Amino acid sequence: MEESNFKPYPIQATFVGVRELYIKANRPPMNTESLPEDLEPRIRIKRSKYKEETKSLQVFVAIEIGQNAESDEEADKFPFHLRVELGAEFEVDEESFPKEKVEEWARVNSPFILFPYIREQIFSLTARCGFPPILLPLLEVPTIKIQRNGK
């Protein structure tokens, strides 16, 4: 087995929790059912301002899939309406990460930290309700390059 030296990232989640788990079946699931291909997830992201006194900020990610059905035709297209929202608090090591870049990190990178948690919640929630479990695709994570000492 190969050994590796893992160094902790200078921004760490101190809390990750569920804010909302919601699913409403528009019709009963069927044993042989496959989900429509156009159940496009809608993603919302909110974040707090960086608090220098606590060296922390909060991020919230919500994903919504489907819609409430008003007719049998819509119920066939959207078998359920689902919303999952997670929140997290992140603590910043200002000695290793420049505080002027924290809000950019929160905007660009932090949702990707929460994405695996939200994927699992959506997969489990749809499976527990009898629908084929939804496995959201993996996403490419952007990186922020930090320059130190003018380099």
Side-chain angles (χ1 to χ4, degrees), residues 27-89:
R27 59 174 167 72
M30 298 170 218
N31 289 339
T32 60
E33 175 172 35
S34 63
L35 294 174
E37 305 239 345
D38 59 351
L39 289 179
E40 298 271 329
R42 295 174 300 283
I43 302 172
R44 288 179 327 201
I45 301 162
K46 295 187 300 185
R47 63 193 172 281
S48 69
K49 293 278 188 199
Y50 179 59
K51 298 175 190 163
E52 290 189 39
E53 60 279 358
T54 60
K55 296 179 175 63
S56 67
L57 72 149
Q58 295 177 338
V59 177
F60 304 94
V61 176
I63 293 186
E64 190 167 6
I65 299 173
Q67 66 186 35
N68 288 322
E70 307 264 332
S71 67
D72 289 342
E73 185 178 299
E74 285 179 329
D76 284 338
K77 185 174 181 181
F78 297 100
F80 55 81
H81 180 213
L82 172 145
R83 262 191 329 271
V84 173
E85 182 175 354
L86 298 179
E89 184 168 86

Side-chain angles (χ1 to χ4, degrees), residues 88-106:
E89 184 168 86
F90 293 94
E91 192 172 88
V92 179
D93 176 359
E94 290 181 354
E95 291 180 21
S96 301
F97 195 94
K99 64 182 174 185
E100 63 274 4
K101 295 284 189 182
V102 170
E103 294 208 17
E104 180 183 354
W105 177 88

